[in-house]
Amino acid sequence: MPTVKLLIGGQFVDSTSTQWREVINPATQQVLARVPFATTQELDAAVDSAKQAFKTWRKTSIGVRARIFLKYQQLIREHMKELAAILTAEQGKTLPDAEGDIFRGLEVVEHAANIGTLQMGELANNVATGVDTYTLLQPLGVCAGITPFNFPAMIPLWMFPMAIATGNTFVLKPSEQDPMVTMRLVELALEAGVPAGVLNVVHGGENIVNGICDHPDIKAVSFVGSTKVGTHVYRRATLAGKRAQCMMGAKNHAVVLPDANREQTINNLIGAAFGAAGQRCMAASTLVLVGESRAWLPELVEKSKKLKLSAGTEPGTDVGPVVSCGALERINGLIERGILEGAKLELDGRAPKVAGYENGNFVGPTIFSGVKPGMSVYEQEIFGPVLVVLEAASLDEAIDLINTNPNGNGVALFTQSGAAARRFQEEIDIGQVGINVPIPVPVPLFSFTGSRASKLGDLGPYGKQVILFYTQTKTVTQRWFDDSTLSVGVNTTISL
Ligand code: NAD
């Protein structure tokens, strides 16, 4: 049985841990590898190697750092198919979706190669006569990243390339559910030239995450995952004096006005609700039909029935398995609760027959109508291919509903009215807003963001904001005497 290695000081090593778990193919239940829960000593060794490497890495020139990421993006492109196959095997999403996951991370790597222009300070000339003030954006030291299972390529790539490109060293803790594609990406980073100790990897769960939060030599923590764990990480890491950014859970609403383009909207909604089996933090899991658009529901249900459910490796698959048996049980349990609490099950995806993959963690597209706030299927993030449908009498009612929900990750409005779109954009309290764009994940020129329960910390991952997150601003005020004599004391002058 292959084991997933730790990366410490440039060496891939087996953990000495006695606690391990299996990495399982969710379409077949085949065990792919064993992953360790690293020990405290291994975390200390990873942090120490990052701390030692920082001494030289922080002084490495901008050009050298940039060229490593130029090479890295090329290697990721060359290995795209191989990476996607690993990702699909351990996570379940379809191969095209896996390539999308890798590609969105690759875009951040490309951005990391442009770091020179992003990490420039400011200068004010003659703040007093002959005096200039300027800022340096200096790396912090050892930074750490904790990532979720649902984007095992993109989210690690949101983190370590930007941290390293700005001169920091890094300790990554990937999801223990699907660490293998992350490890392959880490191998390619070393091949691209990331020096020993600059990037380190430890595996594990709660204990190792708590160890990262508490470690005195880690200066900043980036977390992406659920609201419950992210809130804990934010509190614990900031209590220990660290910077923290936590991107967390979601309940993303899609609002449809009756003037929207019907066919495009319905197709977009189906992709955004059921793609990646609904396991996207930006999945449109909650549909709000405003006014007459409620009449579109039967067409949405009919089209959703036609989606192909199978393993992510099968050509033409629309919906793959969910990541684990535990996730399947939780999703089926929530569907059960929805029925008991009075929502109308328009499409039931439970216990589907998937030829050739009878043991897979499958749940088909599921749609509830008549959903109301207070029902579990509305209040909880289902994180599966389940769409809950509510109705609103007006755009304002939809905005109130969304702003009352605690989550503020993503939202989409479908309309052909510019005035309605502008009002929506002004009034809605959500991080990512799509206007006729179902999953508005920002490209790396911008930063990912979030409101309320979906984000803690001021600065988002990647884009311009992350430069400030991964650097400390130092302000220098400087005066040089340019006359031929220099005063060195009250009564003394020396000639230069
Ligand atoms: P999770 O919170 O269970 O796990 C995230 C990380 O925390 C993992 O590395 C895990 O090992 C660790 N962890 C788990 N339990 C822990 C505990 N008790 N104490 C300390 N650490 C712990 O999340 P997940 O299930 O892997 O991912 C899905 C969640 O991530 C969803 O809520 C989704 O919305 C969210 N997500 C958010 C974004 C975003 O940008 N806002 C992006 C992707 C995923």
Side-chain angles (χ1 to χ4, degrees):
M1 177 62 55
T3 54
V4 183
K5 311 289 185 232
L6 310 175
L7 173 62
I8 299 175
Q11 301 296 319
F12 290 96
V13 292
D14 262 320
S15 173
T16 59
S17 180
T18 51
Q19 203 194 341
W20 294 71
R21 65 170 277 161
E22 291 171 338
V23 181
I24 295 171
N25 182 325
T28 61
Q29 309 303 341
Q30 183 200 348
V31 180
L32 303 171
R34 289 192 319 139
V35 61
F37 288 73
T39 63
T40 309
Q41 291 73 17
E42 286 163 343
L43 173 63
D44 286 345
V47 176
D48 192 53
S49 104
K51 192 176 170 185
Q52 298 310 321
F54 181 64
K55 291 178 186 162
T56 47
W57 183 246
R58 67 191 287 265
K59 295 181 182 160
T60 305
S61 74
I62 295 169
V64 167
R65 282 186 252 149
R67 280 189 285 277
I68 289 173
F69 289 97
L70 282 172
K71 173 82 178 155
Y72 190 33
Q73 65 79 29
Q74 179 201 345
L75 287 175
I76 295 173
R77 277 176 205 282
E78 286 170 9
H79 292 81
M80 180 63 88
K81 297 279 176 216
E82 178 205 342
L83 289 162
I86 300 171
L87 200 164
T88 295
E90 64 180 341
Q91 203 275 352
K93 63 177 72 174
T94 66
L95 286 169
D97 239 358
E99 287 198 26
D101 185 335
I102 298 156
F103 183 76
R104 296 310 298 260
L106 170 70
E107 289 184 310
V108 180
V109 175
E110 290 169 343
H111 208 230
N114 288 316
I115 210 74
T117 50
L118 294 171
Q119 202 179 346
M120 296 198 311
E122 296 173 315
L123 185 145
N125 192 210
N126 286 320
V127 291
T129 305
V131 179
D132 301 328
T133 296
Y134 57 92
T135 56
L136 308 175
L137 302 186
Q138 295 194 308
L140 302 176
V142 182
C143 300
I146 301 158
T147 58
F149 81 83
N150 65 326
F151 280 97
M154 177 183 81
I155 292 176
L157 292 175
W158 279 6
M159 295 181 181
F160 72 78
M162 295 306 265
I164 292 174
T166 47
N168 299 283
T169 56
F170 208 78
V171 177
L172 177 67
K173 205 302 284 175
S175 171
E176 67 278 31
Q177 299 195 68
D178 49 11
M180 294 170 74
V181 69
T182 316
M183 290 314 287
R184 187 68 188 113
L185 283 164
V186 164
E187 283 173 9
L188 294 177
L190 298 203
E191 198 179 324
V194 171
V198 170
L199 175 59
N200 303 272
V201 186
V202 289
H203 300 286
E206 183 173 355
N207 286 345
I208 210 82
V209 168
N210 286 342
I212 288 171
C213 293
D214 297 343
H215 204 294
D217 290 331
I218 295 177
K219 304 296 177 200
V221 176
S222 297
F223 170 91
V224 178
S226 62
T227 302
K228 181 166 166 269
V229 178
T231 305
H232 164 76
V233 165
Y234 189 81
R235 290 195 181 130
R236 192 154 176 156
T238 53
L239 196 66
K242 300 181 192 349
R243 287 189 187 177
Q245 54 172 202
C246 296
M247 313 309 296
M248 304 184 293
K251 193 77 180 173
N252 307 307
H253 296 66
V255 179
V256 178
L257 299 189
D259 69 351
N261 179 307
R262 182 169 173 148
E263 193 183 347
Q264 265 176 16
T265 302
I266 290 176
N267 291 343
N268 277 193
L269 287 171
I270 290 172
F274 304 124
Q279 299 174 115
R280 291 180 178 135
C281 69
M282 289 287 282
S285 57
T286 310
L287 171 60
V288 186
L289 295 173
V290 177
E292 293 308 307
S293 69
R294 76 172 77 88
W296 300 9
L297 185 59
E299 185 178 339
L300 181 79
V301 173
E302 280 315 303
K303 282 193 167 168
S304 303
K305 278 183 192 162
K306 299 198 175 92
L307 295 181
K308 179 175 169 185
L309 190 64
S310 190
T313 46
E314 293 294 333
T317 298
D318 297 301
V319 181
V322 296
V323 72
S324 65
C325 298
L328 181 66
E329 217 171 281
R330 193 180 49 75
I331 294 162
N332 282 335
L334 273 162
I335 296 173
E336 195 65 38
R337 292 260 295 273
I339 299 165
L340 291 174
E341 291 174 8
K344 182 172 176 215
L345 191 58
E346 301 274 355
L347 182 58
D348 185 358
R350 287 172 299 170
K353 300 268 170 292
V354 182
Y357 299 94
E358 286 73 12
N359 295 326
N361 309 321
F362 289 101
V363 53
T366 297
I367 300 178
F368 277 113
S369 66
V371 173
K372 302 262 182 301
M375 291 181 178
S376 306
V377 288
Y378 182 72
E379 299 300 329
Q380 293 188 32
E381 184 180 26
I382 302 174
F383 225 55
V386 180
L387 178 66
V388 303
V389 184
L390 294 87
E391 289 181 16
S394 64
L395 177 60
D396 285 340
E397 198 180 305
I399 292 171
D400 281 350
L401 174 82
I402 296 166
N403 287 348
T404 306
N405 187 288
N407 298 285
N409 204 42
V411 74
L413 175 70
F414 293 89
T415 182
Q416 299 204 50
S417 159
R422 191 164 192 290
R423 177 138 56 93
F424 187 77
Q425 156 202 307
E426 287 287 299
E427 300 299 329
I428 206 78
D429 183 9
I430 299 286
Q432 273 80 220
V433 180
I435 307 291
N436 298 313
V437 173
I439 304 188
V441 176
V443 295
L445 300 174
F446 300 88
S447 300
F448 200 89
T449 178
S451 293
R452 300 177 283 138
S454 293
K455 182 182 175 208
L456 283 168
D458 301 326
L459 300 166
Y462 68 85
K464 281 189 209 160
Q465 290 184 12
V466 92
I467 308 297
L468 292 177
F469 182 76
Y470 284 134
T471 59
Q472 172 66 40
T473 304
K474 186 178 279 177
T475 309
V476 182
T477 300
Q478 193 174 117
R479 169 159 61 181
W480 294 97
F481 299 95
D482 66 354
D483 50 9
S484 56
T485 58
L486 177 66
S487 170
V488 292
V490 181
N491 298 315
T492 321
T493 58
I494 53 167
S495 295
L496 293 174

